[in-house]
């Protein structure tokens, strides 16, 4: 028994004269013809020659999304092909293999349904775009779907054709995506019904007017011409990698070329603290600049390793992506997390599994290993205590912790009264360590808590300075009693 047959034919990009002779003969000989849409100029040729057909335009009204429409069309065609002894013809705009989702669905489903699928090409809208817009694809071009356009897909050095711009709403989405990479006044081209006599329109507009241009429909596209302007790539990570590579090259900057991991190590720490300051000051402009400086440090260190062949920054990014996916099974896997505590538990579980798979824990002699030696001491104390607590070396409640603070304070008083400065410093360290332990019990990061207190001190002391200035005084003209009174005023007037 012969298998069912379904033949997909391309109806060309618009002008009926673009219909190929092979497709025309198929249409004339077919007993049953289906078309995805009747809203296509080539349909006039079928109507003039009394070729009956069934369109699927009604499905667009019955479903809420294009994917649902395309799924329904594919299911209907498979059903019709199975019940037809002679096979059926399915006509689609343009070329069947260019921006035609229904054909992709048929390619996936026909083999399992026992249907022989044949595809006969036709002129696509790309052919007319190359001719009408004067664009040579050998220069490099990208064909993108307006409905799925993401800024990450855009490459200014390539010609970009964006198809399926059906209406102004879609054009607006395209505009917003393009503005992530291009200036607001960058000239783009809108093409309507390219290659269709008396209907073709080519309009050049600045990007910000893209959704204010009338005429969008089934035969509309947007062309973003390629550009050699390197500044257009300044919002891309690839451009940053290229710039850092140039700076470190023999033709680059002599200072950058001389740097090593150790020579700029302190820069990394300084940039991190400047970024933290911008965060603490709630300064968006400062954050934007300082975050860039931190990223630059990562780029420079990664570039040094790339030059030795050890790894590149792309390896860094790959490792990070894989880690984030692995440690979030409640997002990218099958596990669930209904709150932040469950999410954190998943993270810790997968982190431990990650270490087991890598054999990291096997190389550690102590449960306290794995803490960076150059962490600020408050942070290091906090992490040491957390690690010890995980194996049970911890109090059950905060009461004994506060008692330990009182004990260490008493020992400090005693040391101040009768011991050396070195012994006094040692007792002070014990007191600070006990205070850090208390911060852990009240779920307060000691570094952040002290940073807030530092900020509070600066604010209140600035009030003292300002009041003395208003009074025409200097610090050598006041005393502790007056400054303490101003300090208390600052406390009452401040939110700190």
């Amino acid at each position: 028994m012969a298998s069912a047959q379904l033949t997909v034919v391309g109806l060309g990009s618009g002008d009926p004269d673009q219909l190929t002779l092979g497709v025309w003969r198929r249409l004339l000989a077919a007993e049953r013809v289906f078309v995805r849409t009747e809203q296509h100029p080539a349909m006039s040729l079928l109507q003039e020659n009394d070729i009956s057909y069934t369109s699927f335009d009604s499905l667009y009204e019955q479903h809420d999304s294009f994917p649902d429409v395309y799924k329904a069309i594919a299911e209907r065609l498979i059903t019709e092909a199975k019940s037809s002894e002679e096979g059926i013809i399915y006509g689609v705009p343009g070329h069947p293999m260019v921006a035609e989702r229904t054909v992709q669905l048929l390619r996936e489903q026909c083999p399992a349904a026992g249907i022989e699928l044949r595809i006969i090409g036709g002129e696509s809208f790309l052919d007319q775009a190359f001719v009408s817009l004067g664009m040579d694809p050998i220069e490099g071009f990208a064909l993108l779907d307006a409905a799925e356009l993401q800024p990450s897909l855009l490459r200014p050095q390539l010609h970009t054709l964006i198809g399926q711009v059906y209406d102004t709403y879609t054009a607006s989405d395209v505009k917003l995506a393009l503005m992530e990479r291009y200036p607001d006044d960058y000239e783009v081209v809108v093409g309507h019904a390219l290659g269709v006599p008396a209907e073709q329109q080519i309009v050049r507009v600045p990007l910000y007017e893209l959704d204010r241009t009338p005429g969008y429909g089934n035969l509309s596209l947007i062309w973003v011409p390629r550009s050699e302007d390197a500044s257009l790539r300044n919002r891309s990570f690839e451009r940053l990698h290229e710039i850092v590579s140039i700076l470190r090259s023999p033709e680059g900057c002599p200072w950058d070329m001389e740097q090593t991991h150790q020579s700029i190590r302190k820069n990394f720490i300084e940039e991190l603290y400047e970024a933290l300051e911008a965060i603490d000051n709630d300064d968006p402009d400062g954050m934007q600049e300082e975050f860039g400086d931190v990223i630059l440090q990562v780029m420079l260190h990664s570039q040094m390793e790339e030059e030795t062949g050890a790894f590149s920054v792309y390896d860094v990014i790959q490792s990070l992506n894989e880690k984030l996916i692995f440690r979030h099974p409640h997002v990218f896997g099958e596990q669930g997390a209904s709150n932040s505590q469950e999410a954190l538990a998943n993270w810790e579980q997968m982190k431990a599994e990650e270490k087991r798979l890598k054999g990291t824990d096997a190389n550690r002699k102590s449960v306290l290993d794995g803490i960076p030696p150059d962490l600020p001491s408050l942070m290091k104390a906090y992490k040491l205590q957390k690690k010890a607590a995980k194996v049970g070396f911890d109090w059950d409640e905060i009461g004994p912790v506060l008692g330990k603070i009182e004990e260490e304070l008493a020992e400090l008083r005693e040391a101040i009264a009768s011991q050396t400065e070195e012994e006094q410093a040692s007792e002070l360290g014990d007191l600070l360590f006990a205070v850090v332990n208390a911060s852990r019990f009240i779920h307060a990061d000691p570094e952040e808590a002290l940073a807030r207190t530092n900020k509070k001190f600066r604010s209140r002391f600035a009030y003292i300075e300002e009041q003395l200035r208003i009074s025409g005084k200097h610090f050598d003209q006041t005393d502790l009693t007056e400054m303490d009174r101003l300090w208390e005023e600052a406390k009452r007037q401040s939110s700190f």
Side-chain angles (χ1 to χ4, degrees):
M1 179 180 176
S3 63
Q5 293 184 354
L6 196 168
T7 302
V8 183
V9 299
L11 300 176
S13 59
D15 186 352
D17 289 343
Q18 297 166 2
L19 202 64
T20 68
L21 181 59
V23 168
W24 180 240
R25 286 174 174 169
R26 293 274 182 168
L27 291 171
L28 288 174
E31 290 193 3
R32 302 193 66 190
V33 175
F34 295 85
V35 294
R36 179 166 64 78
T37 178
E38 198 174 24
Q39 309 304 313
H40 190 271
M43 296 308 299
S44 61
L45 190 61
L46 277 68
Q47 295 161 2
E48 292 168 3
N49 288 270
D50 296 324
I51 299 177
S52 61
Y53 58 83
T54 300
S55 85
F56 293 119
D57 286 313
S58 62
L59 293 178
Y60 288 86
E61 302 296 329
Q62 299 174 20
H63 296 277
D64 295 329
S65 67
F66 286 123
D68 289 339
V69 172
Y70 302 148
K71 179 181 178 182
I73 291 175
E75 291 174 351
R76 172 76 182 280
L77 288 170
I78 288 176
T79 300
E80 295 289 347
K82 285 182 174 180
S83 63
S84 173
E85 295 182 0
E86 301 297 328
I88 62 174
I89 298 289
Y90 173 48
V92 297
H95 191 291
M97 294 302 295
V98 178
E100 188 54 59
R101 179 57 181 160
T102 58
V103 177
Q104 296 303 322
L105 291 174
L106 291 172
R107 284 169 54 84
E108 296 169 4
Q109 299 174 18
C110 280
I115 296 174
E116 179 185 354
L117 179 67
R118 298 175 181 176
I119 297 176
I120 301 177
E123 185 176 88
S124 76
F125 70 91
L126 290 177
D127 298 279
Q128 283 303 317
F130 298 150
V131 173
S132 301
L133 302 176
M135 185 189 84
D136 187 348
I138 197 64
E139 295 177 341
F141 86 101
L143 173 62
L144 303 175
D145 184 350
E148 299 180 0
L149 186 62
Q150 299 292 331
S152 60
L153 300 174
L154 299 171
R155 297 290 184 270
Q157 64 271 36
L158 302 178
H159 291 290
T160 302
L161 284 175
I162 304 170
Q164 308 200 71
V165 190
Y166 298 121
D167 49 39
T168 55
Y169 297 106
T170 307
S172 178
D173 291 339
V174 170
K175 179 183 78 171
L176 294 176
L178 291 175
M179 281 182 170
E180 289 292 321
R181 282 293 179 90
Y182 297 88
D184 294 355
D185 59 352
Y186 193 81
E187 185 178 79
V188 296
V189 181
V190 181
H192 301 299
L194 298 183
V196 182
E199 293 185 34
Q200 174 173 298
Q201 286 182 294
I202 298 177
V203 185
R204 295 178 179 270
V205 297
L207 179 54
Y208 66 85
E209 290 187 358
L210 190 59
D211 54 352
R212 305 173 193 171
T213 304
Y216 287 106
N218 292 337
L219 300 180
S220 298
L221 59 79
I222 294 170
W223 171 39
V224 186
R226 68 187 296 269
S227 173
E228 297 291 347
D229 185 354
S231 67
L232 292 178
R233 300 171 53 216
N234 283 349
R235 292 180 68 88
S236 71
F237 183 81
E238 290 78 11
R239 177 60 174 160
L240 175 59
H241 178 251
E242 178 182 294
I243 290 172
V244 173
S245 176
I246 292 172
L247 290 176
R248 290 274 303 171
S249 71
E251 295 78 26
C253 171
W255 185 90
D256 286 291
M257 292 165 55
E258 292 177 357
Q259 301 314 305
T260 65
H261 288 306
Q262 290 302 316
S263 70
I264 62 171
R265 180 179 178 278
K266 66 180 185 301
N267 298 36
F268 211 152
I269 298 172
E270 291 172 1
E271 299 297 356
L272 284 170
Y273 277 107
E274 289 177 8
L276 290 174
E277 181 181 12
I279 292 173
D280 291 340
N281 293 335
D282 193 21
D283 177 9
D285 291 336
M287 282 187 257
Q288 178 180 328
E289 179 178 355
E290 300 303 339
F291 291 169
D293 292 342
V294 172
I295 292 173
L296 174 59
Q297 297 304 308
V298 175
M299 296 298 297
L300 285 170
H301 285 285
S302 297
Q303 180 63 32
M304 293 174 191
E305 291 304 308
E306 183 174 345
E307 290 161 8
T308 69
F311 64 84
S312 74
V313 71
Y314 292 100
D315 295 311
V316 174
I317 293 172
Q318 178 183 348
S319 298
L320 176 58
N321 286 338
E322 291 173 350
K323 177 190 294 184
L324 290 174
I325 292 171
F326 185 80
R327 294 189 184 179
H328 287 85
H330 48 285
V331 179
F332 302 103
E334 301 300 324
Q335 291 189 26
S338 58
N339 54 52
S340 59
Q341 288 78 16
E342 292 182 7
L344 182 59
N346 285 341
W347 173 276
E348 294 295 344
Q349 176 186 350
M350 300 311 292
K351 182 178 179 181
E353 176 65 10
E354 189 178 70
K355 291 179 179 179
R356 186 190 68 79
L357 292 173
K358 292 181 177 180
T360 307
D361 287 338
N363 299 323
R364 291 182 177 174
K365 298 178 180 179
S366 169
V367 296
L368 301 181
D369 288 346
I371 298 175
D374 294 324
L375 275 182
S377 294
L378 282 179
M379 295 177 64
K380 184 182 291 186
Y382 189 78
K383 286 183 174 292
L384 285 169
Q385 293 170 8
K386 282 185 66 176
K387 282 180 173 288
K390 286 182 178 180
V391 295
F393 190 69
D394 198 12
W395 281 294
D396 294 328
E397 55 185 26
I398 195 171
V401 179
L402 298 177
K404 187 65 175 176
I405 293 176
E406 294 171 357
E407 175 188 327
E408 297 296 350
L409 179 58
E411 292 180 3
L412 176 60
R413 291 181 188 276
E414 181 180 338
I416 292 173
S418 61
Q419 298 179 14
T420 65
E421 289 185 354
E422 183 177 347
E423 291 170 326
Q424 292 169 14
S426 176
E427 294 298 341
L428 177 63
D430 292 345
L431 175 60
L432 291 173
F433 195 82
V435 171
V436 169
N437 207 15
S439 75
R440 186 172 58 85
F441 269 81
I442 65 173
H443 307 292
D445 185 290
E447 193 77 26
E448 294 179 2
L450 185 56
R452 286 195 294 270
T453 298
N454 289 341
K455 186 176 182 180
K456 178 166 56 180
F457 182 89
R458 288 182 65 95
S459 176
R460 293 177 183 175
F461 195 81
Y463 179 84
I464 295 174
E465 291 178 310
E466 178 65 11
Q467 295 305 310
L468 290 177
R469 186 190 65 78
I470 293 173
S471 301
K473 292 183 178 181
H474 298 288
F475 281 105
D476 57 1
Q477 297 172 309
T478 186
D479 56 23
L480 180 59
T481 300
E482 182 178 17
M483 286 190 287
D484 189 58
R485 177 181 60 80
L486 293 173
W487 178 272
E488 292 300 324
E489 284 184 12
K491 286 179 64 176
R492 290 193 296 270
Q493 297 181 19
S494 172
S495 58
F496 293 108

